[in-house]
Amino acid sequence: MAKLWEFPSKEVVLENEAVHITAVNMQIDLVALFWAASFENNETDQFQYHVNVPTMTELPIFEKYLSQKLKKSNEVVYKVFSKRMNCLVGCASLMNIQPEHGTLEIGSIWYCRNAQRTEINTNSMYLLFSYVFEDLKYRRLEWKCNTKNLASMNTATRLGFEYEGTFRQHFVSRGENRDTAWYSIIDSEWKEKERALQNNMIKA
């Protein structure tokens, strides 16, 4: 099995009737993404369960966060444009990418409040999962979340991820302990998971 899997592209365009997904461009997307992420727009902290990510109260805070994400060599940050809402609504990253093993994680997922619990996330995740398994032919896709984030844990299960266990005291985040729940989908399961996701999208 000695091979090197292709690194996820910053040029790829993923699209269906609900969403349009491309890599983030700091110069073009910064202000729109900040508004989608901001505490003012959402009246809540969209990043409370992310590891040591501050509340997005000001543009410079978000700019620093996004800049650090974009500099990571093992991560590609994608923006999600909702066709129904006609605006950028959030981001998702393919991260912890290991081309030598054909494994990566989908994470740092966030959406503005008005995009949550809508068709947007299911469609976005379907496109990204399909890209990982159908185009890149990766062997393993991971999902990790704070065990206090019950919504994320439920979403992982709904999207077809299999629970693998919990890393206890995995991080210190915002001065508190974080236990991390690990989930995965592997390539041999993808076709079955894909059919379930497609049915879920129809109902969305």
Side-chain angles (χ1 to χ4, degrees):
M1 197 178 285
K3 63 174 289 186
L4 191 66
W5 278 260
E6 183 181 349
F7 198 88
S9 173
K10 295 181 181 179
E11 307 301 325
V12 71
V13 176
L14 306 175
E15 183 174 21
N16 63 13
E17 67 279 0
V19 295
H20 184 273
I21 299 173
T22 54
V24 168
N25 182 307
M26 174 70 89
Q27 291 183 325
I28 296 172
D29 302 322
L30 176 61
V31 173
L33 285 175
F34 167 65
W35 177 245
S38 69
F39 185 87
E40 179 183 356
N41 179 42
N42 296 290
E43 298 181 345
T44 186
D45 182 3
Q46 304 302 87
F47 296 84
Q48 68 180 113
Y49 295 119
H50 294 222
V51 179
N52 291 318
V53 176
T55 305
M56 299 302 167
T57 54
E58 299 176 358
L59 180 60
I61 295 174
F62 183 73
E63 184 175 13
K64 180 180 179 181
Y65 159 78
L66 190 58
S67 177
Q68 290 173 340
K69 297 285 285 180
L70 294 175
K71 288 177 182 176
K72 291 185 177 180
S73 61
N74 64 342
E75 180 170 347
V76 182
V77 185
Y78 297 97
K79 60 180 181 282
V80 177
F81 180 90
S82 165
K83 295 184 177 181
R84 175 176 56 81
M85 296 174 63
N86 195 34
C87 64
L88 290 176
V89 295
C91 289
S93 292
L94 295 180
M95 55 200 293
N96 294 321
I97 301 163
Q98 299 188 65
E100 68 274 25
H101 299 295
T103 68
L104 53 74
E105 174 186 353
I106 188 160
S108 295
I109 303 165
W110 62 268
Y111 301 102
C112 65
R113 183 179 60 178
N114 291 339
Q116 296 173 8
R117 297 178 178 86
T118 71
E119 79 287 355
I120 292 168
N121 187 56
T122 302
N123 280 273
S124 298
M125 294 300 101
Y126 174 76
L127 289 173
L128 285 163
F129 295 1
S130 296
Y131 177 55
V132 168
F133 287 116
E134 300 289 342
D135 297 323
L136 300 178
K137 307 293 185 184
Y138 269 55
R139 302 169 53 248
R140 172 180 167 89
L141 175 65
E142 299 172 347
W143 178 291
K144 302 167 191 169
C145 56
N146 190 321
T147 55
K148 293 181 180 179
N149 190 352
L150 298 181
S152 182
M153 295 174 71
N154 290 335
T155 298
T157 300
R158 179 177 63 81
L159 293 173
F161 284 87
E162 301 291 334
Y163 173 69
E164 294 184 325
T166 295
F167 278 29
R168 298 177 298 166
Q169 298 188 173
H170 191 200
F171 297 112
V172 174
S173 183
R174 296 185 175 185
E176 297 182 353
N177 175 67
R178 167 178 155 145
D179 297 335
T180 301
W182 284 54
Y183 298 82
S184 72
I185 298 173
I186 59 174
D187 54 357
S188 61
E189 303 167 337
W190 167 241
K191 286 303 180 183
E192 179 182 352
K193 306 293 187 181
E194 181 184 29
R195 286 191 293 271
L197 264 177
Q198 289 170 336
N199 290 335
N200 197 315
M201 288 167 60
I202 292 170
K203 298 173 185 176

